Amino acid sequence: MAPQKEIEVQQKKEVASAEEATRSARYYVPGTDIHESDDALDIAMEVPGVARDGVEVTLEKDVLKVVAQVDFSNYEGLEPIYTEYEVGHFQRSFSLSSKIDQGGISARVENGVLHLHLPKTREASPRRISVH
Amino acid sequence: MTTGMRALDALLDLQRAIAASRRSGWLGASTTGYGTFPPVNVFRQGDDFVLVAEVPGVDKDGLDIQVKGRQVRIKGTKKLDLADGASVHRRERRSGNFDRALVIPADIDGDGARAEYRDGVLALHLPRSEADRPRSIQIS
């Protein structure tokens, strides 16, 4: 049997952005897993508190940008007395090395995790090169 | 846009209060430690408490919550769904088991406690037990 592994808390990192936001809300860097298979890139981002309509994904000049907004109305009327983490929106960008089929991108949010599926274009799929 | 503005005010109030209460002594003398997964925020709502924890990627059925007296226990497993045969570019998310107990400084009415789970955020509504409610005292 595999030994039980305890999870440690990951402190949220605030986004250090060159451009300033017009609204004075804080943005944090979501913890992200990225996996590449032969035909696609799969990205999983932890965005707790973000509903489906709070996510905005853009792909421009091979830069993938994700902005995820938390709904703060749930916190109205609550008075914080003990806190261990900060609450804020999420934002992160990645430069993509492979050519992505923009029309084929799909996204879903499940249990506070944003899953992005980015299929590669045909010419970006790997070709096996045989050695003579 | 009034609702939007109010939501933003709520956010700024929350962040200010969070920054200020980091150093508060609340839960300071209890056995509860800082740095255990999942991280929690505790709020007051009238006489009652609301405990909020971020557990992204955990399924609703994978959470086990128990309330007894002053103690709240949150147990569960966080799994990552990895595709077979994919190569990893980044691995920042953590997975594993968690089991955290917290002591709330008031008796909780276990029957009235309520749990909500949405978008990776767990909210526990913990009403104070009747015996532990503050009473107004008349000056005679």
Side-chain angles (χ1 to χ4, degrees):
Chain A
M1 203 183 90
Q4 294 219 328
K5 196 173 68 174
E6 292 266 336
I7 317 178
E8 47 196 290
V9 174
Q10 292 170 282
Q11 293 295 334
K12 284 190 187 175
K13 264 190 301 201
E14 203 168 338
V15 173
S17 169
E19 56 203 271
E20 259 185 278
T22 51
R23 289 188 288 175
S24 61
R26 289 198 198 160
Y27 283 83
Y28 294 95
V29 180
T32 305
D33 284 351
I34 303 181
H35 300 274
E36 182 171 359
S37 59
D38 286 348
D39 50 6
L41 268 180
D42 282 292
I43 300 181
M45 262 185 205
E46 294 193 339
V47 288
V50 175
R52 202 177 54 172
D53 52 10
V55 179
E56 197 185 298
V57 182
T58 49
L59 178 60
E60 200 185 332
K61 292 187 187 130
D62 291 338
V63 175
L64 178 81
K65 186 177 177 187
V66 175
V67 179
Q69 310 263 2
V70 172
D71 180 10
F72 278 94
S73 59
N74 299 326
Y75 291 94
E76 269 179 69
L78 297 180
E79 188 194 336
I81 46 174
Y82 172 73
T83 56
E84 291 182 347
Y85 67 89
E86 317 230 8
V87 183
H89 307 303
F90 297 94
Q91 185 189 312
R92 196 156 182 180
S93 306
F94 293 104
S95 311
L96 302 174
S97 47
S98 316
K99 286 283 169 231
I100 299 299
D101 171 18
Q102 298 217 16
I105 299 176
S106 61
R108 72 190 157 90
V109 182
E110 195 177 29
N111 291 333
V113 180
L114 169 69
H115 297 272
L116 288 171
H117 182 75
L118 309 163
K120 296 181 197 169
T121 52
R122 198 171 290 276
E123 47 289 12
S125 296
R127 265 155 294 198
R128 191 171 291 276
I129 296 162
S130 51
V131 182
H132 297 287
Chain B
M1 276 304 287
T2 19
T3 46
M5 287 303 287
R6 235 186 293 128
L8 192 61
D9 283 348
L11 151 67
L12 291 171
D13 283 351
L14 176 65
Q15 286 176 341
R16 230 173 277 134
I18 284 171
S21 70
R22 263 280 153 77
R23 291 173 296 276
S24 84
W26 209 77
L27 291 187
S30 81
T31 53
T32 305
Y34 186 95
T36 315
F37 188 90
V40 298
N41 284 339
V42 184
F43 299 88
R44 193 171 17 222
Q45 190 175 39
D47 287 340
D48 303 332
F49 296 101
V50 180
L51 188 152
V52 184
E54 288 193 339
V55 282
V58 176
D59 197 56
K60 194 172 91 178
D61 301 325
L63 280 169
D64 179 10
I65 299 142
Q66 294 166 14
V67 178
K68 189 182 156 204
R70 298 180 166 221
Q71 190 170 302
V72 180
R73 188 172 174 189
I74 305 168
K75 251 166 80 170
T77 308
K78 188 169 179 241
K79 286 188 215 127
L80 303 179
D81 37 350
L82 295 179
D84 287 336
S87 60
V88 176
H89 285 234
R90 277 172 195 266
R91 185 174 286 163
E92 297 169 356
R93 301 169 62 210
R94 308 280 164 86
S95 64
N97 299 314
F98 55 90
D99 185 347
R100 182 168 189 189
L102 279 129
V103 179
I104 302 290
D107 272 344
I108 304 298
D109 167 20
D111 294 330
R114 211 155 41 81
E116 269 176 58
Y117 183 65
R118 201 170 60 199
D119 301 325
V121 176
L122 172 72
L124 297 178
H125 297 263
L126 307 167
R128 226 181 249 257
S129 71
E130 208 47 58
D132 221 349
R133 266 180 206 285
R135 258 159 273 250
S136 306
I137 295 163
Q138 298 292 327
I139 302 170
S140 52

